[in-house]
Amino acid sequence: MWAPAPVMTQPMPNLQQASTNNTIVINNQTAAPTVQLPRPWSTGICAMCDDMSVCCCVYWCPTCAGSQLASDMGEGCCLPFCVTNWLVALRTKMRTQYNIQGTIMDDSTTICFCHLCVLCQMMRELKLMNAATVVGR
């Protein structure tokens, strides 16, 4: 034999006792992640003389300067000797790491025409970023 299923009902509030109105506000909005736009380089490509110690190091021994830059950026100091287009790779890494505007094509053409200026600019940028990190601590 078939028996009908029991019917469940929810208790109803006594409307005569309700004297206040309760308002429930639900806010399901979540904050959108802030996207920080890329910033320009701290110094220009032709500002070699802004830091004479960097300028002299790059001018007198660009290989030593390149090795130092690679090492300071967490890469092997032999990078300039072992990797073709190492400066493009380092510049792209620096732009990505410090949220600097530009493209790989910009990096390549700038390096092609004035690699010593680029090396100076990158060393100055790293020096400024490291100084800002020390001050910010």
Side-chain angles (χ1 to χ4, degrees), residues 82-119:
C82 301
V83 177
T84 306
N85 294 328
W86 63 274
L87 197 51
V88 174
L90 274 185
R91 188 169 175 90
T92 302
K93 178 180 179 178
M94 182 177 280
R95 279 191 313 95
T96 304
Q97 193 170 353
Y98 295 115
N99 197 26
I100 300 172
Q101 63 192 20
T103 64
I104 295 173
M105 186 66 178
D106 292 339
D107 297 340
S108 298
T109 54
T110 307
I111 290 167
C112 179
F113 291 108
C114 193
H115 69 282
L116 295 180
C117 297
V118 169
L119 189 53

Short mmCIF file of all heavy atoms in Angstrom, two decimals, residues 82-119:
data_model
loop_
_atom_site.label_atom_id
_atom_site.label_comp_id
_atom_site.label_asym_id
_atom_site.label_seq_id
_atom_site.Cartn_x
_atom_site.Cartn_y
_atom_site.Cartn_z
N CYS A 82 78.04 34.42 -21.32
CA CYS A 82 77.43 33.16 -21.70
C CYS A 82 76.13 33.28 -22.48
O CYS A 82 75.71 32.31 -23.11
CB CYS A 82 77.17 32.32 -20.46
SG CYS A 82 78.66 31.97 -19.50
N VAL A 83 75.47 34.42 -22.42
CA VAL A 83 74.15 34.54 -23.02
C VAL A 83 74.15 35.61 -24.10
O VAL A 83 74.55 36.75 -23.85
CB VAL A 83 73.08 34.89 -21.94
CG1 VAL A 83 71.72 35.10 -22.57
CG2 VAL A 83 73.03 33.80 -20.89
N THR A 84 73.72 35.23 -25.29
CA THR A 84 73.56 36.19 -26.37
C THR A 84 72.40 37.12 -26.01
O THR A 84 71.40 36.68 -25.46
CB THR A 84 73.24 35.45 -27.69
OG1 THR A 84 74.24 34.47 -27.91
CG2 THR A 84 73.18 36.40 -28.86
N ASN A 85 72.54 38.38 -26.31
CA ASN A 85 71.51 39.39 -26.01
C ASN A 85 71.17 39.45 -24.51
O ASN A 85 70.02 39.63 -24.13
CB ASN A 85 70.25 39.17 -26.84
CG ASN A 85 70.49 39.39 -28.31
OD1 ASN A 85 71.32 40.22 -28.69
ND2 ASN A 85 69.80 38.65 -29.14
N TRP A 86 72.17 39.27 -23.69
CA TRP A 86 71.97 39.27 -22.24
C TRP A 86 71.40 40.58 -21.73
O TRP A 86 70.61 40.60 -20.80
CB TRP A 86 73.30 38.96 -21.53
CG TRP A 86 74.35 40.01 -21.78
CD1 TRP A 86 75.22 40.05 -22.81
CD2 TRP A 86 74.62 41.16 -20.98
NE1 TRP A 86 76.02 41.17 -22.73
CE2 TRP A 86 75.68 41.87 -21.60
CE3 TRP A 86 74.08 41.67 -19.81
CZ2 TRP A 86 76.19 43.06 -21.10
CZ3 TRP A 86 74.59 42.85 -19.30
CH2 TRP A 86 75.64 43.53 -19.93
N LEU A 87 71.76 41.69 -22.38
CA LEU A 87 71.28 43.00 -21.91
C LEU A 87 69.78 43.16 -22.17
O LEU A 87 69.07 43.75 -21.36
CB LEU A 87 72.08 44.13 -22.55
CG LEU A 87 72.00 45.50 -21.90
CD1 LEU A 87 72.29 45.45 -20.41
CD2 LEU A 87 72.96 46.48 -22.58
N VAL A 88 69.30 42.61 -23.28
CA VAL A 88 67.85 42.64 -23.56
C VAL A 88 67.12 41.82 -22.48
O VAL A 88 66.09 42.25 -21.96
CB VAL A 88 67.54 42.08 -24.97
CG1 VAL A 88 66.03 41.97 -25.19
CG2 VAL A 88 68.17 42.93 -26.05
N ALA A 89 67.67 40.67 -22.15
CA ALA A 89 67.04 39.82 -21.13
C ALA A 89 67.02 40.52 -19.77
O ALA A 89 65.98 40.52 -19.08
CB ALA A 89 67.78 38.49 -21.03
N LEU A 90 68.12 41.14 -19.39
CA LEU A 90 68.17 41.83 -18.09
C LEU A 90 67.25 43.05 -18.07
O LEU A 90 66.60 43.33 -17.07
CB LEU A 90 69.60 42.27 -17.77
CG LEU A 90 70.49 41.27 -17.08
CD1 LEU A 90 71.84 41.90 -16.71
CD2 LEU A 90 69.85 40.68 -15.84
N ARG A 91 67.22 43.79 -19.18
CA ARG A 91 66.37 44.98 -19.23
C ARG A 91 64.89 44.59 -19.15
O ARG A 91 64.12 45.23 -18.45
CB ARG A 91 66.65 45.78 -20.49
CG ARG A 91 65.95 47.14 -20.53
CD ARG A 91 66.50 47.96 -21.67
NE ARG A 91 65.80 49.22 -21.86
CZ ARG A 91 66.13 50.35 -21.28
NH1 ARG A 91 67.15 50.39 -20.45
NH2 ARG A 91 65.45 51.45 -21.52
N THR A 92 64.53 43.52 -19.83
CA THR A 92 63.15 43.05 -19.76
C THR A 92 62.81 42.58 -18.35
O THR A 92 61.73 42.85 -17.84
CB THR A 92 62.93 41.92 -20.79
OG1 THR A 92 63.24 42.42 -22.09
CG2 THR A 92 61.50 41.43 -20.77
N LYS A 93 63.74 41.89 -17.72
CA LYS A 93 63.53 41.44 -16.34
C LYS A 93 63.35 42.64 -15.42
O LYS A 93 62.46 42.67 -14.57
CB LYS A 93 64.71 40.59 -15.87
CG LYS A 93 64.57 40.14 -14.42
CD LYS A 93 65.74 39.32 -13.95
CE LYS A 93 65.54 38.93 -12.49
NZ LYS A 93 66.62 38.08 -12.00
N MET A 94 64.19 43.67 -15.60
CA MET A 94 64.11 44.86 -14.75
C MET A 94 62.78 45.59 -14.95
O MET A 94 62.14 46.00 -13.98
CB MET A 94 65.27 45.81 -15.03
CG MET A 94 65.27 47.04 -14.13
SD MET A 94 66.68 48.12 -14.40
CE MET A 94 67.93 47.26 -13.48
N ARG A 95 62.36 45.72 -16.20
CA ARG A 95 61.09 46.39 -16.46
C ARG A 95 59.93 45.64 -15.82
O ARG A 95 59.04 46.23 -15.22
CB ARG A 95 60.84 46.51 -17.98
CG ARG A 95 61.54 47.65 -18.63
CD ARG A 95 61.08 47.92 -20.06
NE ARG A 95 60.97 46.75 -20.91
CZ ARG A 95 59.85 46.06 -21.12
NH1 ARG A 95 58.73 46.41 -20.54
NH2 ARG A 95 59.85 45.01 -21.91
N THR A 96 59.96 44.33 -15.91
CA THR A 96 58.91 43.52 -15.32
C THR A 96 58.94 43.59 -13.80
O THR A 96 57.91 43.77 -13.15
CB THR A 96 59.05 42.05 -15.77
OG1 THR A 96 59.05 42.01 -17.20
CG2 THR A 96 57.93 41.19 -15.24
N GLN A 97 60.12 43.48 -13.23
CA GLN A 97 60.28 43.45 -11.78
C GLN A 97 59.88 44.77 -11.13
O GLN A 97 59.28 44.79 -10.07
CB GLN A 97 61.73 43.12 -11.45
CG GLN A 97 62.00 42.77 -10.02
CD GLN A 97 63.41 42.21 -9.84
OE1 GLN A 97 64.14 41.97 -10.80
NE2 GLN A 97 63.78 42.01 -8.62
N TYR A 98 60.22 45.90 -11.78
CA TYR A 98 59.95 47.21 -11.20
C TYR A 98 58.79 47.93 -11.87
O TYR A 98 58.59 49.12 -11.65
CB TYR A 98 61.22 48.07 -11.23
CG TYR A 98 62.32 47.51 -10.36
CD1 TYR A 98 63.51 47.06 -10.91
CD2 TYR A 98 62.15 47.42 -8.98
CE1 TYR A 98 64.51 46.54 -10.11
CE2 TYR A 98 63.15 46.90 -8.18
CZ TYR A 98 64.32 46.46 -8.75
OH TYR A 98 65.32 45.95 -7.95
N ASN A 99 58.02 47.23 -12.68
CA ASN A 99 56.83 47.77 -13.34
C ASN A 99 57.16 49.05 -14.11
O ASN A 99 56.55 50.09 -13.91
CB ASN A 99 55.72 48.02 -12.31
CG ASN A 99 54.37 48.19 -12.98
OD1 ASN A 99 54.13 47.69 -14.07
ND2 ASN A 99 53.49 48.91 -12.32
N ILE A 100 58.12 48.94 -15.01
CA ILE A 100 58.55 50.07 -15.83
C ILE A 100 57.96 49.88 -17.23
O ILE A 100 57.95 48.78 -17.77
CB ILE A 100 60.08 50.14 -15.89
CG1 ILE A 100 60.65 50.33 -14.48
CG2 ILE A 100 60.55 51.27 -16.80
CD1 ILE A 100 62.17 50.21 -14.39
N GLN A 101 57.48 50.97 -17.80
CA GLN A 101 56.85 50.88 -19.13
C GLN A 101 57.88 50.60 -20.22
O GLN A 101 59.05 50.93 -20.08
CB GLN A 101 56.08 52.16 -19.43
CG GLN A 101 56.92 53.41 -19.51
CD GLN A 101 56.08 54.67 -19.53
OE1 GLN A 101 54.92 54.67 -19.13
NE2 GLN A 101 56.67 55.76 -19.99
N GLY A 102 57.42 50.00 -21.29
CA GLY A 102 58.27 49.69 -22.43
C GLY A 102 57.93 48.33 -23.00
O GLY A 102 57.07 47.61 -22.49
N THR A 103 58.62 48.02 -24.10
CA THR A 103 58.41 46.74 -24.76
C THR A 103 59.77 46.11 -25.05
O THR A 103 60.80 46.78 -25.01
CB THR A 103 57.65 46.91 -26.09
OG1 THR A 103 58.45 47.68 -26.97
CG2 THR A 103 56.31 47.58 -25.88
N ILE A 104 59.76 44.85 -25.38
CA ILE A 104 61.00 44.16 -25.75
C ILE A 104 61.58 44.77 -27.02
O ILE A 104 62.80 44.91 -27.15
CB ILE A 104 60.75 42.64 -25.90
CG1 ILE A 104 60.35 42.04 -24.56
CG2 ILE A 104 61.98 41.94 -26.45
CD1 ILE A 104 59.92 40.60 -24.62
N MET A 105 60.71 45.19 -27.93
CA MET A 105 61.18 45.83 -29.16
C MET A 105 61.90 47.15 -28.83
O MET A 105 62.96 47.44 -29.39
CB MET A 105 60.01 46.08 -30.12
CG MET A 105 60.42 46.59 -31.45
SD MET A 105 61.39 45.31 -32.29
CE MET A 105 61.69 46.12 -33.82
N ASP A 106 61.32 47.94 -27.92
CA ASP A 106 61.99 49.18 -27.48
C ASP A 106 63.35 48.86 -26.87
O ASP A 106 64.34 49.53 -27.15
CB ASP A 106 61.14 49.92 -26.44
CG ASP A 106 59.87 50.50 -27.01
OD1 ASP A 106 59.79 50.69 -28.24
OD2 ASP A 106 58.95 50.77 -26.20
N ASP A 107 63.37 47.85 -26.02
CA ASP A 107 64.62 47.46 -25.38
C ASP A 107 65.66 47.08 -26.42
O ASP A 107 66.80 47.54 -26.36
CB ASP A 107 64.39 46.27 -24.42
CG ASP A 107 63.46 46.59 -23.27
OD1 ASP A 107 63.29 47.78 -22.97
OD2 ASP A 107 62.93 45.65 -22.67
N SER A 108 65.27 46.26 -27.36
CA SER A 108 66.22 45.77 -28.37
C SER A 108 66.78 46.90 -29.23
O SER A 108 67.99 46.96 -29.46
CB SER A 108 65.54 44.75 -29.29
OG SER A 108 65.13 43.65 -28.55
N THR A 109 65.93 47.79 -29.69
CA THR A 109 66.42 48.87 -30.55
C THR A 109 67.27 49.86 -29.78
O THR A 109 68.29 50.33 -30.28
CB THR A 109 65.25 49.60 -31.25
OG1 THR A 109 64.31 50.03 -30.27
CG2 THR A 109 64.57 48.70 -32.26
N THR A 110 66.88 50.17 -28.56
CA THR A 110 67.67 51.09 -27.75
C THR A 110 69.04 50.50 -27.47
O THR A 110 70.06 51.19 -27.58
CB THR A 110 66.95 51.41 -26.42
OG1 THR A 110 65.62 51.84 -26.71
CG2 THR A 110 67.66 52.48 -25.64
N ILE A 111 69.09 49.24 -27.14
CA ILE A 111 70.37 48.57 -26.86
C ILE A 111 71.21 48.49 -28.13
O ILE A 111 72.43 48.68 -28.08
CB ILE A 111 70.12 47.17 -26.26
CG1 ILE A 111 69.57 47.31 -24.84
CG2 ILE A 111 71.38 46.33 -26.28
CD1 ILE A 111 69.00 46.04 -24.25
N CYS A 112 70.58 48.27 -29.25
CA CYS A 112 71.30 48.17 -30.53
C CYS A 112 72.04 49.47 -30.84
O CYS A 112 73.18 49.45 -31.32
CB CYS A 112 70.31 47.85 -31.64
SG CYS A 112 71.06 47.72 -33.27
N PHE A 113 71.42 50.61 -30.55
CA PHE A 113 72.02 51.89 -30.90
C PHE A 113 72.91 52.49 -29.81
O PHE A 113 73.79 53.27 -30.11
CB PHE A 113 70.94 52.89 -31.31
CG PHE A 113 70.29 52.53 -32.60
CD1 PHE A 113 68.99 52.05 -32.62
CD2 PHE A 113 70.98 52.60 -33.79
CE1 PHE A 113 68.38 51.68 -33.82
CE2 PHE A 113 70.39 52.24 -35.00
CZ PHE A 113 69.09 51.79 -35.01
N CYS A 114 72.65 52.14 -28.57
CA CYS A 114 73.48 52.73 -27.50
C CYS A 114 73.48 51.83 -26.27
O CYS A 114 72.88 52.14 -25.25
CB CYS A 114 72.97 54.11 -27.15
SG CYS A 114 74.15 55.02 -26.14
N HIS A 115 74.19 50.71 -26.36
CA HIS A 115 74.18 49.76 -25.25
C HIS A 115 74.85 50.30 -23.99
O HIS A 115 74.46 49.97 -22.88
CB HIS A 115 74.79 48.42 -25.67
CG HIS A 115 76.26 48.48 -25.91
ND1 HIS A 115 76.81 48.98 -27.06
CD2 HIS A 115 77.29 48.09 -25.13
CE1 HIS A 115 78.13 48.91 -26.99
NE2 HIS A 115 78.44 48.37 -25.83
N LEU A 116 75.84 51.17 -24.13
CA LEU A 116 76.48 51.73 -22.94
C LEU A 116 75.53 52.67 -22.19
O LEU A 116 75.51 52.68 -20.95
CB LEU A 116 77.78 52.45 -23.31
CG LEU A 116 78.89 51.56 -23.86
CD1 LEU A 116 80.12 52.39 -24.20
CD2 LEU A 116 79.23 50.44 -22.90
N CYS A 117 74.74 53.44 -22.94
CA CYS A 117 73.75 54.33 -22.31
C CYS A 117 72.70 53.50 -21.56
O CYS A 117 72.29 53.85 -20.45
CB CYS A 117 73.06 55.19 -23.36
SG CYS A 117 74.17 56.32 -24.23
N VAL A 118 72.28 52.40 -22.16
CA VAL A 118 71.30 51.51 -21.54
C VAL A 118 71.88 50.88 -20.28
O VAL A 118 71.22 50.81 -19.24
CB VAL A 118 70.84 50.42 -22.53
CG1 VAL A 118 70.04 49.34 -21.84
CG2 VAL A 118 70.03 51.04 -23.65
N LEU A 119 73.10 50.45 -20.35
CA LEU A 119 73.75 49.84 -19.19
C LEU A 119 73.83 50.85 -18.04
O LEU A 119 73.54 50.51 -16.89
CB LEU A 119 75.14 49.32 -19.58
CG LEU A 119 75.89 48.48 -18.58
CD1 LEU A 119 75.06 47.30 -18.08
CD2 LEU A 119 77.20 47.97 -19.19
#
